Coordinates of all heavy atoms in Angstrom, one line a residue:
Q86 N 82.5 167.2 109.3 CA 81.6 167.7 110.3 C 81.4 169.2 110.2 O 80.3 169.7 110.4 CB 82.1 167.3 111.7 CG 82.1 165.8 112.0 CD 80.7 165.2 112.0 OE1 79.7 165.9 112.3 NE2 80.6 164.0 111.5
Q87 N 82.4 169.9 109.8 CA 82.3 171.3 109.6 C 81.4 171.6 108.5 O 80.6 172.6 108.5 CB 83.7 172.0 109.4 CG 84.6 172.0 110.6 CD 86.0 172.5 110.2 OE1 86.2 173.1 109.2 NE2 86.9 172.4 111.2
L88 N 81.5 170.9 107.4 CA 80.7 171.0 106.2 C 79.2 170.7 106.6 O 78.3 171.5 106.2 CB 81.1 170.1 105.1 CG 80.3 170.2 103.8 CD1 80.4 171.6 103.2 CD2 80.9 169.2 102.8
R89 N 79.0 169.7 107.3 CA 77.7 169.3 107.8 C 77.1 170.4 108.6 O 75.9 170.8 108.5 CB 77.7 168.0 108.5 CG 77.9 166.8 107.7 CD 77.8 165.5 108.5 NE 76.5 165.4 109.0 CZ 76.1 164.4 109.9 NH1 77.1 163.6 110.4 NH2 74.9 164.4 110.4
L90 N 77.9 171.0 109.5 CA 77.4 172.0 110.4 C 77.0 173.3 109.6 O 76.0 173.9 109.8 CB 78.5 172.4 111.4 CG 78.2 173.5 112.4 CD1 77.0 173.1 113.2 CD2 79.4 173.8 113.3
R91 N 77.9 173.6 108.6 CA 77.6 174.8 107.8 C 76.3 174.6 107.0 O 75.4 175.5 106.9 CB 78.7 175.1 106.8 CG 78.5 176.3 106.0 CD 79.8 176.9 105.4 NE 80.7 175.9 104.8 CZ 81.8 175.5 105.2 NH1 82.2 175.9 106.4 NH2 82.5 174.6 104.5
L92 N 76.1 173.4 106.4 CA 74.9 173.1 105.7 C 73.7 173.1 106.6 O 72.6 173.5 106.2 CB 75.0 171.7 105.0 CG 76.0 171.7 103.8 CD1 76.2 170.2 103.4 CD2 75.6 172.6 102.7
R93 N 73.9 172.6 107.8 CA 72.8 172.6 108.8 C 72.4 174.0 109.2 O 71.2 174.3 109.3 CB 73.2 171.8 110.0 CG 72.0 171.5 111.0 CD 72.4 170.7 112.2 NE 72.8 169.4 111.8 CZ 74.0 168.9 111.9 NH1 75.0 169.7 112.5 NH2 74.3 167.7 111.6
T94 N 73.4 174.8 109.3 CA 73.2 176.2 109.7 C 72.4 176.9 108.5 O 71.4 177.7 108.8 CB 74.5 177.0 110.0 OG1 75.1 176.3 111.0 CG2 74.2 178.4 110.4
L95 N 72.9 176.7 107.4 CA 72.2 177.3 106.2 C 70.8 176.8 106.1 O 69.9 177.6 105.7 CB 73.0 177.0 104.9 CG 74.3 177.7 104.8 CD1 75.1 177.2 103.6 CD2 74.1 179.2 104.6
S96 N 70.6 175.6 106.4 CA 69.3 175.0 106.3 C 68.3 175.6 107.3 O 67.2 175.9 107.0 CB 69.3 173.5 106.6 OG 68.0 172.9 106.6
K97 N 68.9 175.9 108.5 CA 68.0 176.5 109.6 C 67.7 177.9 109.2 O 66.6 178.4 109.5 CB 68.7 176.4 110.9 CG 68.8 175.0 111.5 CD 69.5 175.0 112.8 CE 69.5 173.6 113.4 NZ 70.2 173.6 114.7
T98 N 68.6 178.7 108.7 CA 68.4 180.1 108.4 C 67.7 180.3 107.1 O 67.2 181.4 106.7 CB 69.8 180.8 108.3 OG1 70.6 180.2 107.3 CG2 70.4 180.8 109.7
G99 N 67.6 179.2 106.3 CA 67.0 179.2 104.9 C 67.7 180.0 103.9 O 67.2 180.5 103.0
N100 N 69.0 180.2 104.1 CA 69.9 180.9 103.2 C 70.7 180.0 102.2 O 71.7 180.4 101.7 CB 70.8 181.8 103.9 CG 70.1 182.9 104.7 OD1 69.1 183.4 104.2 ND2 70.7 183.3 105.8
F101 N 70.2 178.8 102.0 CA 71.0 177.9 101.2 C 70.5 177.8 99.8 O 71.2 177.2 99.0 CB 71.0 176.5 101.9 CG 69.7 175.9 101.9 CD1 69.4 174.9 100.9 CD2 68.8 176.2 102.9 CE1 68.1 174.3 100.9 CE2 67.5 175.5 102.9 CZ 67.2 174.6 101.9
T102 N 69.3 178.5 99.4 CA 68.9 178.4 98.1 C 69.2 179.6 97.3 O 69.3 180.7 97.9 CB 67.3 178.1 97.9 OG1 66.7 179.3 98.4 CG2 66.9 177.0 98.8
T103 N 69.4 179.4 96.1 CA 69.8 180.6 95.2 C 68.7 181.6 95.2 O 68.9 182.9 95.2 CB 70.0 180.1 93.8 OG1 71.0 179.1 93.8 CG2 70.5 181.3 92.9
L104 N 67.4 181.2 95.2 CA 66.3 182.1 95.1 C 66.2 182.9 96.4 O 66.0 184.2 96.4 CB 65.0 181.3 95.0 CG 63.7 182.2 95.0 CD1 63.7 183.2 93.8 CD2 62.4 181.3 94.8
Q105 N 66.4 182.2 97.5 CA 66.3 182.9 98.8 C 67.5 183.9 98.9 O 67.3 185.0 99.4 CB 66.4 181.9 100.0 CG 65.1 181.1 100.1 CD 65.3 180.0 101.2 OE1 66.4 179.6 101.5 NE2 64.1 179.7 101.8
M106 N 68.7 183.5 98.4 CA 69.8 184.4 98.5 C 69.6 185.6 97.6 O 69.9 186.7 97.9 CB 71.1 183.6 98.0 CG 72.4 184.5 98.2 SD 73.8 183.5 97.8 CE 73.5 183.0 96.1
L107 N 68.9 185.4 96.5 CA 68.6 186.5 95.6 C 67.6 187.5 96.2 O 67.7 188.7 96.1 CB 68.0 186.0 94.2 CG 67.6 187.0 93.2 CD1 68.9 187.8 92.7 CD2 67.0 186.3 91.9
L108 N 66.6 186.9 96.9 CA 65.5 187.7 97.5 C 66.1 188.5 98.7 O 65.5 189.5 99.0 CB 64.4 186.8 97.9 CG 63.5 186.2 96.8 CD1 62.5 185.3 97.4 CD2 62.9 187.3 95.9
N109 N 67.2 188.0 99.3 CA 67.7 188.6 100.5 C 68.8 189.6 100.1 O 69.5 190.1 101.0 CB 68.3 187.6 101.4 CG 67.2 186.7 102.1 OD1 66.1 187.3 102.3 ND2 67.5 185.5 102.4
T110 N 69.1 189.8 98.9 CA 70.1 190.8 98.5 C 69.5 192.1 98.0 O 68.3 192.1 97.5 CB 71.0 190.2 97.3 OG1 70.1 189.9 96.2 CG2 71.7 189.0 97.8
D111 N 70.2 193.2 98.2 CA 69.7 194.5 97.8 C 69.9 194.8 96.3 O 69.2 195.6 95.8 CB 70.4 195.6 98.6 CG 70.1 195.4 100.1 OD1 69.0 195.0 100.4 OD2 71.0 195.8 100.9
S112 N 70.9 194.1 95.7 CA 71.1 194.3 94.3 C 71.7 193.1 93.7 O 72.1 192.1 94.3 CB 72.1 195.5 94.1 OG 73.4 195.1 94.6
Y113 N 71.6 193.1 92.4 CA 72.1 191.9 91.6 C 73.6 191.7 91.9 O 74.1 190.6 92.0 CB 71.8 192.1 90.2 CG 72.2 190.9 89.3 CD1 71.5 189.7 89.4 CD2 73.3 191.0 88.4 CE1 72.0 188.6 88.7 CE2 73.7 190.0 87.7 CZ 73.0 188.7 87.8 OH 73.4 187.7 87.0
S114 N 74.3 192.8 91.9 CA 75.8 192.7 92.1 C 76.1 192.2 93.5 O 77.0 191.4 93.7 CB 76.4 194.1 92.0 OG 75.9 195.0 92.9
D115 N 75.2 192.5 94.5 CA 75.4 192.0 95.8 C 75.1 190.5 95.8 O 75.8 189.6 96.4 CB 74.4 192.7 96.8 CG 74.6 192.2 98.2 OD1 75.8 191.9 98.6 OD2 73.7 192.1 99.0
Y116 N 74.1 190.1 95.0 CA 73.8 188.7 94.8 C 74.9 187.9 94.2 O 75.3 186.8 94.6 CB 72.5 188.5 93.9 CG 72.3 187.2 93.4 CD1 71.9 186.1 94.2 CD2 72.6 186.9 92.0 CE1 71.7 184.8 93.7 CE2 72.5 185.6 91.5 CZ 72.0 184.6 92.4 OH 71.9 183.3 91.9
L117 N 75.5 188.5 93.2 CA 76.6 187.8 92.5 C 77.8 187.7 93.4 O 78.5 186.6 93.4 CB 77.1 188.7 91.2 CG 76.1 188.7 90.1 CD1 76.6 189.6 89.0 CD2 75.9 187.3 89.6
I118 N 78.0 188.7 94.3 CA 79.1 188.6 95.2 C 78.9 187.4 96.2 O 79.7 186.6 96.5 CB 79.3 189.9 96.0 CG1 79.8 191.0 95.0 CG2 80.3 189.8 97.1 CD1 79.8 192.4 95.6
K119 N 77.7 187.4 96.7 CA 77.3 186.3 97.7 C 77.4 185.0 97.0 O 77.8 184.0 97.6 CB 75.9 186.6 98.3 CG 75.9 187.7 99.2 CD 74.5 187.9 99.8 CE 74.4 189.0 100.8 NZ 73.0 189.2 101.4
Y120 N 76.8 184.9 95.8 CA 76.8 183.6 95.1 C 78.3 183.2 94.8 O 78.6 182.0 95.0 CB 76.1 183.8 93.7 CG 76.1 182.5 92.9 CD1 75.2 181.5 93.2 CD2 77.0 182.4 91.8 CE1 75.2 180.4 92.4 CE2 77.0 181.2 91.1 CZ 76.1 180.2 91.4 OH 76.1 179.1 90.6
E121 N 79.1 184.1 94.5 CA 80.5 183.7 94.2 C 81.2 183.2 95.5 O 82.0 182.3 95.5 CB 81.3 184.9 93.6 CG 82.7 184.6 93.2 CD 82.7 183.6 92.0 OE1 81.8 183.6 91.2 OE2 83.8 182.9 91.9
I122 N 80.9 183.9 96.6 CA 81.5 183.5 97.8 C 81.0 182.1 98.2 O 81.8 181.3 98.6 CB 81.1 184.5 98.9 CG1 81.8 185.9 98.7 CG2 81.4 184.0 100.3 CD1 81.3 187.0 99.6
M123 N 79.7 181.9 98.1 CA 79.1 180.6 98.4 C 79.7 179.5 97.5 O 80.1 178.4 97.9 CB 77.6 180.6 98.3 CG 76.9 181.5 99.3 SD 77.2 180.8 101.0 CE 76.4 179.3 100.9
K124 N 79.9 179.8 96.2 CA 80.5 178.9 95.3 C 81.9 178.5 95.6 O 82.3 177.4 95.6 CB 80.4 179.5 93.9 CG 80.9 178.6 92.8 CD 80.8 179.3 91.4 CE 81.5 178.4 90.3 NZ 81.4 179.1 89.0
R125 N 82.7 179.6 96.0 CA 84.1 179.3 96.3 C 84.2 178.5 97.6 O 85.1 177.7 97.7 CB 84.8 180.7 96.4 CG 85.0 181.4 95.1 CD 85.8 182.6 95.3 NE 86.1 183.3 94.0 CZ 86.7 184.4 93.9 NH1 87.3 185.0 94.9 NH2 86.9 185.0 92.7
I126 N 83.3 178.8 98.5 CA 83.3 178.0 99.8 C 83.0 176.6 99.5 O 83.7 175.7 99.9 CB 82.3 178.6 100.8 CG1 82.7 180.0 101.3 CG2 82.1 177.6 101.9 CD1 81.7 180.7 102.2
A127 N 82.0 176.3 98.6 CA 81.7 175.0 98.2 C 82.8 174.3 97.5 O 83.2 173.1 97.8 CB 80.4 174.9 97.4
E128 N 83.4 175.0 96.6 CA 84.5 174.4 95.8 C 85.7 174.2 96.7 O 86.4 173.1 96.6 CB 84.9 175.4 94.7 CG 83.9 175.5 93.5 CD 84.3 176.5 92.5 OE1 85.2 177.3 92.7 OE2 83.7 176.5 91.4
N129 N 86.0 175.1 97.6 CA 87.1 174.9 98.5 C 86.9 173.7 99.4 O 87.8 172.9 99.7 CB 87.3 176.2 99.3 CG 88.5 176.1 100.2 OD1 89.6 176.0 99.6 ND2 88.4 176.2 101.5

């Protein structure tokens, strides 16, 4: 349910796609940090 809620939240904010996350970052390194965080959350 927590996973579903997180996915639902991401869906509502539109921050769940890689493109959107890239467009919403100030730099590539910031993108990589966010991407890595999202990846680790998903893997975890």
Side-chain angles (χ1 to χ4, degrees):
Q86 292 300 328
Q87 290 177 14
L88 180 60
R89 287 183 64 188
L90 179 60
R91 184 160 48 251
L92 291 173
R93 189 179 296 113
T94 302
L95 290 172
S96 175
K97 287 180 179 181
T98 58
N100 294 326
F101 65 96
T102 67
T103 304
L104 179 60
Q105 288 176 335
M106 186 172 60
L107 180 61
L108 293 174
N109 290 328
T110 57
D111 295 330
S112 65
Y113 182 71
S114 59
D115 186 33
Y116 164 75
L117 291 176
I118 292 170
K119 289 182 179 180
Y120 179 80
E121 186 65 26
I122 291 172
M123 292 297 295
K124 180 181 177 183
R125 288 183 179 181
I126 290 173
E128 288 176 352
N129 187 62

